[in-house]
Amino acid sequence: MIEKRDLYIDGRWSAPLVRCDMPVIDPTTELPFAVVTRAGADDADAAVRAARRVFPVWSQTPPALRRDLVVRILEEFDKRQIDLATMISREMGAPIDLAMTRQFRGGRKHIEQFIAAFDDVEFERKLAPDTPQDLILKQPIGVVGLITPWNWTLNQIALKCIAALLAGCTMVLKPSEITPQTAMIWTEILHDAGVPAGVFNLVNGDATTGAALVEHPDVDLISFTGSTRAGIEITKSAAETVKRVVLEMGGKGANLIFADADENAVRDGVEDCFANSGQSCNAPTRMFVARSRYREAVDQARAVAVATKVGASHMSGDHIGPVASKEQFDKVQSLIQSGIDQGARLIAGGLGRPDGFSTGYYVRPTVFADVTPDMDIARREIFGPVLCMVPFDTEDEAIAMANDTRFGLTNYIQTADTDRQIRVARQLRSGMVEINGVARGPAAPFGGMRQSGNGREGGVWGIEEFLEVRSISGWTVV
Ligand code: NAD
């Protein structure tokens, strides 16, 4: 049993004021393998006070100094690849090869892209050539509370912490209670890289610890990634202190496969939906297929689902692992049940664990065909390896069905017709659109519309989330 109960406040590890143990469960065994402590409101307050005390100094540091620090963080990060990947795999069930590659590299990529984008941030400029005494300053907003989920845990921690550091903010990170040990390794990395005391603080805990940061009057901004349910609660609670809230929340991505799409479009779409055991906010979970290809697509999707291997997270290979927690497992099972009850056609997978598994939060790779818009599986974020398939007759119908959701994170278009690519992309209501499998560039903004959120992470946009725009007039012209 790993016992790491301390919090990281003001540059050192220290015991929480009141000990309240939280087990960390291995989703492959369903057993605890580590214990951390939940920080209380007083611990969160101590972390905020440390961040506040150092803010006047850190916010005035030359940008080049902050950039150099992030370069050192990247060096330390690379040294800890095996530690990070092993812990991600253990805590949230990502197969070790996935953890060593996509999970680790996702975090790394974000540190790198922020270093590259930093020079493009305009911290200071004149309003216009004919108003030389008007200066626009973009300055760090203050002490920020960062609340993160577990599914791509390094991505989300890096996206927030590195952007906040570069902006000149000081911060308190409250990571997911499912992946607290990964966040502790991240904290060791920042410490070893020389992040000054108080600039970065870590409080482990659950929603109550997060709520303490949200309610804290001396936190200027909350950057939250997680479920839409929690984002709504946080927004309401943050209103009491009128703090800025940046939200990155759930998704229900549509994948529009037109008749002229590449022959591998269905296969790739199913694999993308199942990747990370279906636990990606931007997963293409609703596959809309032109009717002329629909029957063939259903057969192809069934074949991919049947061929998808499921296995333990410590095993090497290209299988998918368990979902991260009992709560996730139960939620996915109940949504599969609702799909069956509401009349969707189950063509692969279904209820219960895959054959050969009696423990572990393993879900059968599942495909439903003939899903209708009123069904729960069409409307709710499932967050497991479950695909919904729907036929369409016209382009307009496909766009309307794709947009018939409260979410708006990422949508996908598969067509060889360049006019249609542009036409459809313009009409899809989502923060991101991916055409024919071409991934976004490394510093492109990541974020959603509608109930997927209001933030933009990554690149210049991600850093600017942590800056306040100020207007100074009467500036002496130099
Ligand atoms: P969650 O909302 O349950 O928890 C996320 C974080 O918020 C955790 O640290 C949790 O302790 C904290 N929290 C929960 N309720 C809170 C409250 N009332 N006040 C303060 N803090 C609170 O989400 P999860 O299960 O950890 O993550 C999965 C969700 O995250 C999915 O909906 C997924 O789509 C979303 N997600 C979104 C993005 C994105 O960039 N849009 C990226 C990854 C995950």
Side-chain angles (χ1 to χ4, degrees), residues 147-151 156 174-177 205-207 210-211 214 224-230 233-234 248-251 280-281 328 381 383 409 446 452 457:
I147 302 177
T148 55
W150 44 265
N151 59 324
Q156 287 121 14
K174 204 303 281 175
S176 168
E177 53 273 45
D206 56 15
V214 175
F224 167 78
T225 301
S227 62
T228 299
R229 172 202 59 76
E233 283 174 21
I234 286 170
E248 303 283 351
M249 303 184 289
S280 300
C281 49
Q328 274 300 123
E381 184 185 46
F383 231 52
L409 192 57
F446 186 104
S452 288
E457 295 195 308

Side-chain angles (χ1 to χ4, degrees), residues 136-149:
I136 302 298
L137 293 180
K138 289 185 188 163
Q139 291 191 310
I141 192 162
V143 174
V144 297
L146 311 175
I147 302 177
T148 55

